[in-house]
Amino acid sequence: MRVVDLIDKKKRGNSLSNEEIDYLLDNYLLGNISDYQMSAYLMAVYFKGMEADELSYFTLKMKDSGDTIAFTEIDRYLVDKHSTGGVGDKVTVILGPLLSALGMATTKLSGKGLGHTGGTIDKFESIKNFKFSNTREELVKIANSTGVGLMGYSDKIVPLDKKLYALRDVTATVDSIPLIASSIMSKKLAIQSDLIILDVKVGDGAFMKTIEDARKLSKTMVGIGNSLGRKTVAILTNMDEPLGTEVGNSNEIIEGIEALKGNWNDDVKEVVYNIAYIALKEKGQVTSFEEAENIIDEVVASGKALETFKNFLKESGADENIVNDYSLLPTPQNTISVYSEKEGYVSKIKAEDIGKSAMVIGAGRATKEDEIDHAVGLTLYKKVGDKISLGEKIAEIHYNDDKNIKSSKDLLLKSYIIENGNIEKKSNVLEIIY
């Protein structure tokens, strides 16, 4: 078997057999196949795609390239929720304790943010002394006691994905739907769960800009998961404006805590409740959204979800008193208000520009080596559909270093699209794919 023949076969739009995929991926991981040959194969996939069975086996092979984690000690319905990344996306902060309070458990790998999107690890690392699980034993221990298990990505889990992604990043093959799907799903399948819920963001601030692309990616990932015996559901959610009103790290933790206290922003609530509904439905506990909504309302109102979050903080080495004393979180030295230069109704808030506005003051990374300032961020006072007057405050920028404050302000003002006439606000949940 020769690599050049496999490249040629894929170049012509033909599927590789399981044996051919074994040969290609095993030898690449061992270093027996050069980067230039694998680059040629990835480009062939970019243009010719993969058949469903071929992609499922390719993903399974990636998953089996490293360690897998099982939770035989945890007697709960296990849910792994993944987000494709967005601006102001603090869903995991809220959902983990909420699902635990509902009698389930979350077990997932979380990542750091890059560019205009924020990462779950960055948010939790804004909490002093918070320690992510780094080993299976730590993950199982915390998940067993709190129902919330979050682990940073490990080189031992799906090492083939890390190697392939580095190559895709420099060969313009990142935006290949089969390669995106296999990358995400190989990591999801490496961690035991009863249900995978994929929150696929759609719009200006998302990787998937159109509903058509998001739908295609979602159906591909759902197909992989279900074909490999893991129940998988995708929920397409709107990212044509940031989620919630806080963008940053410590301030998103605060917004998450407030939600667990019952103080929700409507768009955050809609997304979280729908994901929780999917989990309750797939578990067999409810048959309708209304039934799930009543159960979730009760769990939040009782304080059980907040208590679970406090317990998770304590077990992770952090101070649980943060939920009642936000001064224990990193606090910015300065705040500047931003005022509208137009009047009318907010028709859109360009989430990508909002993300960049936060990034340039230190809330995000332009490169992997950049340091995060966990204290800084933005507070948005106007959302899509809101009426706005000339000179009315639309946002605040919380910062420590004023070096890029003008750039941040300009990006923020640019992000607000204001038009005449009432704007009909669309649902934040666009579609659910089973």
Side-chain angles (χ1 to χ4, degrees), residues 1 11 16 42 77 108 154 160 167 180 244 247 288 333 429:
M1 196 178 294
K11 180 186 75 176
L16 300 191
L42 294 174
Y77 188 77
K108 69 186 299 290
S154 165
L160 189 54
L167 202 56
I180 296 168
V247 179
S288 70
Q333 297 176 11
V429 175

Side-chain angles (χ1 to χ4, degrees), residues 6 15 41 48 54 66 83 87 102 122 165 191-192 206 210 240 243 252 256 271 279 307 312 319 363 384 387 396:
L6 304 185
S15 295
Y41 167 77
K48 297 297 183 178
E54 179 188 17
S83 170
V87 180
L102 290 166
D122 300 313
Y165 191 88
I191 305 292
Q192 179 193 344
T210 68
D240 267 338
L243 190 63
E252 286 192 44
V271 173
E307 282 301 314
F312 175 61
D319 187 346
V384 170
K387 186 176 181 180
E396 288 178 346

